[in-house]
Amino acid sequence: LVEALPLMMRALQGCEEQLGASHPDTLGSVDNLASLLQDQGKLVEALPLLMRALQGREEQLGASHPDTLASVNNLAQMLDEQGNLDEAEPLYWRALEGSERQLGASHP
């Protein structure tokens, strides 16, 4: 995982330069970098990236888009890991209910 960090940061920088900071693919790279940092236990560094990905996806894709809902779930997981279940729970519900509406209750 340690070796992956500079590669993920390089990928994000390339997306930002070529596509712009708010492009959906760039936001996907932001979310991926946040997940890597989260896996490394760097929760303080990951949190603003998760928030950036969520805000950008809401603006670019809409609140009910599956990628936006994935970002909602990712942020909920982060908050849960930090012990903030009161903040995480409504986000978990938002992600679940939105996914069921968009993809159906039986979608894997």
Side-chain angles (χ1 to χ4, degrees), residues 12 27 30-31 33-34 37 44-54:
L12 174 56
L27 298 170
V30 170
D31 200 61
L33 177 57
L37 291 167
V44 172
E45 293 177 48
L47 184 59
L49 293 172
L50 288 172
M51 293 174 71
R52 173 183 166 192
L54 175 56

Side-chain angles (χ1 to χ4, degrees), residues 8 16-17 23 26 30 34 42-43 47 57-58 65 75 85 89-90 96:
M8 296 287 289
E16 289 174 331
E17 290 172 2
H23 190 279
T26 303
V30 170
K42 299 177 180 178
L43 304 182
L47 184 59
R57 284 177 164 173
E58 286 176 331
H65 190 280
L75 179 57
L85 188 56
E89 186 176 13
L96 176 62

Side-chain angles (χ1 to χ4, degrees), residues 76 78-92:
M78 166 70 76
L79 293 168
D80 193 358
E81 280 185 42
Q82 290 180 325
N84 296 323
L85 188 56
D86 288 343
E87 293 178 55
E89 186 176 13
L91 294 174
Y92 279 134

